[in-house]
Amino acid sequence: MKNDTCILGISAYYHDSAAALIRNGHIVAAAQEERFTRKKHDAGFPAHAIEYCLREAGIALCDVDQMVFYDKPLVKFERLLETYLAYAPRGFRSFLTAMPVWLKEKLYLKSVLKKELSALAHCKPSELPPLLFTEHHQSHAASAFFPSPFQKAAVLCLDGAGEWASTSVWLGDNNQLTPCWQIDFPHSLGLLYSAFTYYTGFKVNSGEYKLMGLAPYGEPVYVDLILDHLLDLKEDGTFRLDMSYFDYATGLTMTNSRFDALFGGPARQAEGELTQREMDIAASIQKVTETVLLRLGRTIKKELGVDHLCMAGGVALNCVANGELLRAGIFTDIWIQPAAGDAGGALGAALSVWYEYLDNPRTANPDDDMQGGYLGCHYSNDEVETYLKSVHAPYRRFDDGVLMQRLTEILDGGNVVGWMQGRMEFGPRALGSRSILGDARSAKMQSVMNRKIKYRESFRPFAPVVKAERVGDYFMHQGKSPYMLIVAPVKENIRLPVADMQKQLFGIEKLNVPRSQLPAITHVDDSSRLQTVHKETNPHLYHLLDAFEARTGCAVLINTSFNVRGEPIVNTPGDAYRCFMRTEMDYLVIGNCLLAKADQPAWEKDDEWQDEFELD
């Protein structure tokens, strides 16, 4: 008799498609489709991700008890029609563009999904497990609350828009989520931030983190302009947008000519020169976002009277705003789903079925249930060696202790190391499983990594990884931050004095001023995006940090994602080796195998990645 209940969650067709599989409430596997197809933010049916999850669980698709999609497409179609009718005749062009896709595919999503799933399972659609649908924000809320370390908590979901909701508040208690209230499309903090992402020349749905990273170079001089014209913000944090400045509800762009006139010119062209105006705009919309989040937090605390807050949705990836909310002390603690965007909806949908639909009991895990975010593919040393031999890549295999000592010498010598260990991360952040590592004490490491390894904009900061018990020695933060979702100031005692002349610098000029004893991970506003490393969830990286501290006295390294600009984070040993050879990384370690760039055969074409990956 079968005792296990397996639930497959799916998100697809908008951006960041993913699959997640849970067994008896335990998360077995979760992965984004982009990691397999090598197409960033891949929105297609997540066939590879589903196959991986089933492999990890050791089951076939027909062994699954329930399948669940993270969204209700018919309700979303209703919103689309109502929006076009409300704004008619404006937006007719956009309507004509959207309708064929909906009438051909999205309106009949249940049939499309069953066709794809039956092809995957090599069976008839009628032989598939039942297919369920959750609401979009319900999936986000479930992904935030059910894996969290809290038995009872408020839940705040903020994104562009689901079916209707763009902001929603829930009460999570034991195994149930109760919706409290929501703000509906087109009034959306996520879309407001995306509008400024578009206006400053970055790509919507992928460039928002660039806007956040650019903000400290500017001054928030446009805050009043935004609040006077674009955003009617109430004291309780609720808001409405003046849609006469935006085109996303009816058009094919985010902003319009009225928006241009308000900010004194057209949107910056992609890859164009960044000026002080873009930096000041970034600082301003970031400040507004933090203000909204703080007001919402105070309102939620007052209304629900709970000590803990969980968060999900794309806006929950704004780790600067998260840090401000945490330090405000409104809640005793905050937990944010590491895959806060649409990918995490696949996991939330599966958990919602297990707890809410099937009414299974829940006991919160004090360490959370995300297993450090390490829910993806893994490769044995034998598999790694088989691959390396197939491409004639010289390597040496070391035992753990010897390897860590060798790596600390390499890092202490100013080298950059590609690091691939254990299970791949789920979500947008590299959390020390598919990472590029460097010495945070190096004054040149930030520019070297941006220019020679990542091939990305010079203004973008790098994040530190720090042993969990040492975080308070370097940063103004106490407690865990395992998912790189909190920004905190660097401690005063490791900051460097800044000369009066340097204080007068503007914009990118600030970049070359060393600000702490860890200059490579200290942003121009003396902040860092923290990741605490824990023995229990990432023993390999913890061991490396331990060895590095023993050698240097420093328990911090730079951690950035193992990819080049526009490329998804690497998945396989082959992905890792190609990225290593295409860049100026000095060493690569996969499992216990160490490769030196100097020993490798010649790589024919250094700029292949530019042809393969579309710029983000």
Side-chain angles (χ1 to χ4, degrees):
M1 183 177 172
K2 184 176 181 289
N3 294 318
D4 289 343
T5 300
C6 293
I7 302 167
L8 177 70
I10 300 168
S11 64
Y13 302 125
Y14 296 99
H15 54 90
D16 296 298
S17 293
L21 193 138
I22 65 171
R23 178 187 277 133
N24 298 336
H26 173 75
I27 305 168
V28 175
Q32 294 118 287
E33 185 69 3
E34 66 165 24
R35 305 293 168 85
F36 303 92
T37 62
R38 313 308 298 152
K39 179 183 176 185
K40 200 161 187 178
H41 305 297
D42 194 338
F45 177 75
H48 300 88
I50 292 170
E51 286 176 332
Y52 155 67
C53 288
L54 294 170
R55 253 192 337 269
E56 193 67 34
I59 60 173
L61 186 58
C62 289
D63 297 323
V64 169
D65 294 274
Q66 277 101 7
M67 305 179 298
V68 56
F69 191 70
Y70 82 128
D71 201 272
K72 290 193 173 178
L74 288 176
V75 183
K76 189 166 277 190
F77 184 66
E78 174 193 83
R79 185 252 289 173
L80 196 73
L81 287 179
E82 285 195 27
T83 300
Y84 284 126
L85 286 170
Y87 286 91
R90 194 157 63 94
F92 188 62
R93 256 183 75 218
S94 176
F95 179 80
L96 290 179
T97 304
M99 279 307 103
V101 179
W102 274 93
L103 294 175
K104 185 181 177 184
E105 293 175 3
K106 293 184 179 180
L107 195 55
Y108 305 102
L109 198 58
K110 189 170 186 178
S111 300
V112 171
L113 282 167
K114 286 197 167 185
K115 183 180 176 183
E116 294 277 14
L117 289 160
S118 60
L120 206 60
H122 307 292
C123 70
K124 296 175 183 175
S126 59
E127 296 169 340
L128 288 168
L131 177 61
L132 308 173
F133 292 81
T134 58
E135 289 189 356
H136 188 94
H137 270 233
Q138 182 184 11
S139 298
H140 277 319
S143 78
F145 176 62
F146 292 130
S148 81
F150 313 133
Q151 196 68 22
K152 185 175 183 178
V155 184
L156 174 61
C157 302
L158 294 151
D159 64 0
E163 293 85 1
W164 277 104
S166 68
T167 302
S168 64
V169 175
W170 308 69
L171 179 64
D173 192 358
N174 294 315
N175 68 345
Q176 293 297 312
L177 280 160
T178 304
C180 300
W181 53 267
Q182 67 185 49
I183 300 171
D184 285 347
F185 179 91
H187 307 289
S188 164
L189 185 62
L191 289 173
L192 176 66
Y193 204 89
S194 291
F196 280 94
T197 300
Y198 165 83
Y199 186 70
T200 49
F202 302 119
K203 189 178 283 189
V204 171
N205 287 333
S206 70
E208 284 78 3
Y209 60 94
K210 296 185 186 183
L211 193 66
M212 183 179 68
L214 186 63
Y217 293 96
E219 299 296 329
V221 296
Y222 296 104
V223 166
D224 289 343
L225 196 69
I226 294 169
L227 294 175
D228 289 345
H229 295 273
L230 302 183
L231 185 72
D232 179 13
L233 177 62
K234 306 301 184 187
E235 276 302 314
D236 63 0
T238 59
F239 55 84
R240 289 183 67 82
L241 301 183
D242 184 339
M243 293 305 298
S244 66
Y245 291 94
F246 302 94
D247 218 17
Y248 62 75
T250 56
L252 301 175
T253 59
M254 294 298 294
T255 59
N256 59 28
S257 56
R258 285 199 78 199
F259 194 102
D260 293 352
L262 187 64
F263 289 94
R268 168 183 168 258
Q269 292 297 305
E271 307 304 313
E273 181 189 359
L274 278 167
T275 68
Q276 191 65 43
R277 183 181 76 136
E278 282 79 39
M279 296 171 201
D280 291 344
I281 287 172
S284 302
I285 187 57
Q286 179 62 36
K287 184 70 175 175
V288 167
T289 300
E290 292 163 17
T291 301
V292 175
L293 196 57
L294 285 166
R295 290 189 186 183
L296 285 172
R298 291 188 184 101
T299 298
I300 292 165
K301 172 69 175 179
K302 182 179 175 183
E303 290 181 349
L304 300 185
V306 291
D307 293 328
H308 301 110
L309 176 70
C310 301
M311 293 174 63
V315 178
L317 293 170
N318 193 311
C319 46
V320 178
N322 296 342
E324 291 292 332
L325 182 61
L326 181 64
R327 285 187 295 280
I330 301 165
F331 296 94
T332 304
D333 202 3
I334 297 171
W335 192 86
I336 304 150
Q337 165 56 239
D342 275 16
L347 176 60
L351 290 168
S352 177
V353 170
W354 174 253
Y355 286 114
E356 298 188 277
Y357 183 71
L358 298 177
D359 196 27
N360 284 297
R362 171 181 176 268
T363 302
N365 176 355
D367 294 321
D368 84 40
D369 281 328
M370 288 300 293
Q371 303 161 47
Y374 309 112
L375 300 169
C377 302
H378 52 98
Y379 300 88
S380 69
N381 280 312
D382 289 345
E383 289 174 307
V384 172
E385 290 196 76
T386 298
Y387 169 76
L388 294 175
K389 287 172 182 174
S390 76
V391 294
H392 310 290
Y395 69 92
R396 293 184 67 189
R397 180 168 167 174
F398 297 100
D399 291 337
D400 281 354
V402 176
L403 178 64
M404 295 307 168
Q405 290 304 319
R406 182 76 187 98
L407 285 172
T408 59
E409 294 165 12
I410 287 167
L411 289 161
D412 192 25
N415 295 290
V416 178
V417 176
W419 167 269
M420 178 174 164
Q421 299 288 330
R423 296 184 71 176
M424 179 176 63
E425 303 91 340
F426 181 51
R429 308 277 188 240
L431 300 172
S433 180
R434 304 290 189 273
S435 291
I436 300 171
L437 305 176
D439 188 349
R441 301 168 302 161
S442 169
K444 64 178 183 177
M445 192 56 68
Q446 194 258 6
S447 62
V448 167
M449 279 192 165
N450 269 330
R451 188 165 41 90
K452 293 188 173 183
I453 286 100
K454 301 286 283 187
Y455 301 119
R456 67 183 201 180
E457 300 91 343
S458 63
F459 68 84
R460 288 169 59 185
F462 287 104
V465 280
V466 57
K467 286 169 63 177
E469 66 271 25
R470 294 293 309 278
V471 64
D473 296 337
Y474 300 97
F475 306 102
M476 295 169 69
H477 178 85
Q478 296 298 324
K480 298 179 178 180
S481 177
Y483 302 120
M484 211 185 282
L485 287 168
I486 298 291
V487 163
V490 170
K491 285 198 84 168
E492 294 274 0
N493 64 317
I494 66 165
R495 293 186 199 174
L496 299 176
V498 178
D500 288 341
M501 186 175 72
Q502 292 173 322
K503 290 177 183 175
Q504 306 306 315
L505 297 175
F506 286 94
I508 294 297
E509 294 172 336
K510 298 177 181 179
L511 182 61
N512 297 319
V513 179
R515 295 183 176 271
S516 83
Q517 294 167 21
L518 303 173
I521 54 87
T522 305
H523 205 11
V524 295
D525 59 352
D526 300 316
S527 71
S528 285
R529 189 179 67 193
L530 297 180
Q531 185 195 346
T532 54
V533 179
H534 304 259
K535 278 183 192 175
E536 301 76 19
T537 51
N538 197 332
H540 282 96
L541 185 55
Y542 187 92
H543 188 178
L544 178 61
L545 285 166
D546 211 30
F548 189 74
E549 183 183 17
R551 179 183 175 88
T552 66
C554 178
V556 181
L557 287 170
I558 294 176
N559 169 28
T560 189
S561 55
F562 198 156
N563 59 347
V564 293
R565 185 182 171 195
E567 178 190 17
I569 294 171
V570 302
N571 175 4
T572 67
D575 298 335
Y577 186 71
R578 278 188 297 275
C579 187
F580 170 61
M581 293 302 293
R582 288 171 175 177
T583 65
E584 295 183 49
M585 259 180 272
D586 303 297
Y587 290 86
L588 170 64
V589 59
I590 311 178
N592 289 80
C593 300
L594 180 65
L595 297 82
K597 178 64 67 63
D599 298 339
Q600 302 307 305
W603 192 261
E604 287 183 15
K605 192 179 176 189
D606 282 335
D607 59 354
E608 279 184 41
W609 67 274
Q610 294 172 319
D611 302 325
E612 189 172 335
F613 305 117
E614 184 182 345
L615 288 181
D616 60 1

